[in-house]
Amino acid sequence: MATGIPELEDKLPEVLELTERYIKAFFEDLDTLNVERAEHYPRATESVDKMAEIIRKLLADQVAYRSEDGSIYYNIARFPSYGKLAHIEVGELKCGARVSQDEYEKESACDFALWKAYDAEDGEVYWDQYPDLGKGRPGWHIECSAMAIMLLGEHFDMHTGGVDNIFPHHQNEIAQSEAFTGKTFVNYWLHSAHLQVEACKMSKSAGNFFTLRDLTEQGHDPMAIRYLLLSAHYKSSLNFTFNALEAARSSLDSIANFIRRLKDQQGAQRKEIAAVGEARERFEKALADDLNTPEALAAVFHLVREGNQAIDKGDVGSLGAGLALDLLRKMDTVLGLHLDRYAQDDELTAEQQKLVDERQAARKARDFALADARRNELLEVHGIVLEDTPQGLRWKKGARI
RNA sequence: GGCGAUGUGGCCGAGGGGUUAGGCAGCGGUCUGCAAAACCGCGCACCGCAGUUCGACUCUGCGCGUCGCCUCCA
């Protein structure tokens, strides 16, 4: 797996610094959301040699041509399936319709730049070590082909990106890469829809613009955010609302409660939870079906409900509970919701333990007013919930206040 | 304007021509000293109008709304 970092415009020192800052923030956000790292994070600026190689070949094959100003353009007329990805008929496409007609050097309005000849406006941003290309900079799409081919080969399985990249970026990537290699570029394109916020597009002027760190600073659990993101299929635009974020938090809580309950089951019953097999199968099937994460979550809840029922019936011992926990751990290697953090054995502080003891003593003495006062204090001051179960007292941390 | 996508119950959100998505919230109940947790029960949802069909929320057309692209950036 590889994620390209396009920073071609960033040779200016001040811009470079800014870029590094954003890259750092990007990785921090990935960590916050528990997003697994890709194997490679290639940088466009480290792939310019490969870009030059591709351009050279396209030029030699006359798929590309040089314009009067020295720029090199891709001739889309040489790529018959151009437009297929985006369902666009080139003949009907008014490429550049909204561009002022100052690009006379292109043969067709849809032709796109592979190499832009140096222009005074480019300032310090140029490469001049490729005499056959001339002084200039790479076009806007070539870097992705170069990075992909270098790391993943001439043909690979999946390529992802936002829907906004379908045209022209991904279409151009295909044209460049396939003309260069003569091979099918990728098997599957996965295009993710855009996030909406309160049913509107996120924008600063609409006042509904915020970053991941804005949310976490407000105290929202990153895993609730991740859950919310998983609750919609990647292909459909998720309507982010704070209401939905709260719902996600509650959903996650009930999974967490189930896990705590499972960890409590220490009986010798040999019975297994029947739903484990069903849930596993449904979960895998859902993911195999174009990463249907909402359906995968439904499979999790199938296990939760059936598992809770079995526990209520007293059918679940440590064996059955362990098998269910194993499945949940397996599921969480995909879901990445840190389900393992829900444990029963956190330590209480001395002060907390004292409150618990006082509550228990008061309860035993049937002084319910005092018992409830201690319980409320634990909840409101310490975020600890006490539960009286048939097996005795149970407590959990991290309750919402 | 053109192209593509989409419109599901209070909220989020799957789905597919006829049989329960799932979660959250709400209401009623079981359990509990009370709670909490859990369980049980309750919602006759599919933008509008036509059409195809024995039957459509699911297919087709039109209309309306929303999102994306068609320009920069990538």
Side-chain angles (χ1 to χ4, degrees), chain A residues 45-324:
Chain A
T45 46
E46 292 164 3
S47 320
V48 183
D49 281 349
K50 189 71 181 179
M51 297 185 221
E53 180 193 336
I54 295 172
I55 296 169
R56 222 168 267 138
K57 173 130 192 318
L58 298 186
L59 216 41
D61 292 348
Q62 298 189 312
V63 173
Y65 58 89
R66 193 182 295 271
S67 71
E68 284 173 25
D69 75 343
S71 293
I72 299 167
Y73 290 94
Y74 189 101
N75 181 357
I76 62 159
R78 294 293 308 275
F79 194 74
S81 64
Y82 191 83
K84 191 177 155 201
L85 181 72
H87 310 283
I88 286 171
E89 294 292 332
V90 173
E92 295 173 6
L93 192 65
K94 294 182 200 161
C95 282
R98 289 201 273 167
V99 184
S100 58
Q101 291 299 322
D102 57 357
E103 300 197 31
Y104 298 114
E105 60 271 14
K106 287 203 277 184
E107 288 177 8
S108 157
C110 279
D111 289 351
F112 57 91
L114 295 168
W115 189 258
K116 298 279 271 184
Y118 182 75
D119 184 292
E121 286 179 16
D122 293 336
E124 302 286 305
V125 183
Y126 63 85
W127 281 258
D128 60 0
Q129 62 268 54
Y130 310 106
D132 48 338
L133 301 184
K135 180 177 174 180
R137 59 188 173 86
W140 310 315
H141 312 286
I142 190 70
E143 60 198 55
C144 290
S145 293
M147 291 189 281
I149 290 170
M150 281 171 73
L151 279 166
L152 304 172
E154 301 191 335
H155 169 252
F156 54 97
D157 202 36
M158 291 187 282
H159 191 309
T160 65
V163 278
D164 53 319
N165 285 323
I166 295 173
F167 191 87
H169 185 57
H170 288 160
Q171 181 62 71
N172 292 350
E173 243 185 283
I174 292 171
Q176 293 161 347
S177 306
E178 298 194 354
F180 176 66
T181 65
K183 294 177 186 159
T184 299
F185 187 42
V186 304
N187 291 334
Y188 301 102
W189 289 87
L190 310 194
H191 288 116
S192 60
H194 288 168
L195 187 66
Q196 285 184 260
V197 175
E198 305 287 350
C200 293
K201 110 173 95 160
M202 188 156 83
S203 73
K204 281 183 177 154
S205 59
N208 66 346
F209 180 93
F210 38 77
T211 61
L212 177 63
R213 49 197 74 199
D214 291 335
L215 293 176
T216 54
E217 278 165 20
Q218 285 171 31
H220 293 288
D221 178 357
M223 288 305 100
I225 298 168
R226 184 176 168 104
Y227 182 98
L228 180 58
L229 295 172
L230 290 172
S231 75
H233 188 92
Y234 76 86
K235 254 187 208 170
S236 55
S237 59
L238 169 68
N239 182 18
F240 179 97
T241 64
F242 285 94
N243 206 340
L245 183 56
E246 283 305 311
R249 170 72 267 165
S250 298
S251 301
L252 201 47
D253 281 345
S254 56
I255 298 173
N257 280 324
F258 177 56
I259 290 171
R260 292 194 188 94
R261 280 191 97 186
L262 285 173
K263 289 180 177 172
D264 280 350
Q265 303 313 117
Q266 298 302 328
Q269 298 92 316
R270 306 288 301 169
K271 216 174 201 175
E272 296 177 16
I273 300 171
V276 167
E278 296 157 12
R280 178 189 289 111
E281 197 175 319
R282 194 171 160 190
F283 187 84
E284 288 172 355
K285 202 173 154 199
L287 292 176
D289 182 14
D290 198 15
L291 297 175
N292 192 337
T293 50
E295 170 63 17
L297 289 173
V300 173
F301 278 98
H302 178 66
L303 175 62
V304 171
R305 193 175 350 89
E306 302 278 326
N308 271 320
Q309 277 175 29
I311 292 173
D312 281 356
K313 277 197 249 171
D315 285 348
V316 181
S318 58
L319 173 76
L323 292 172

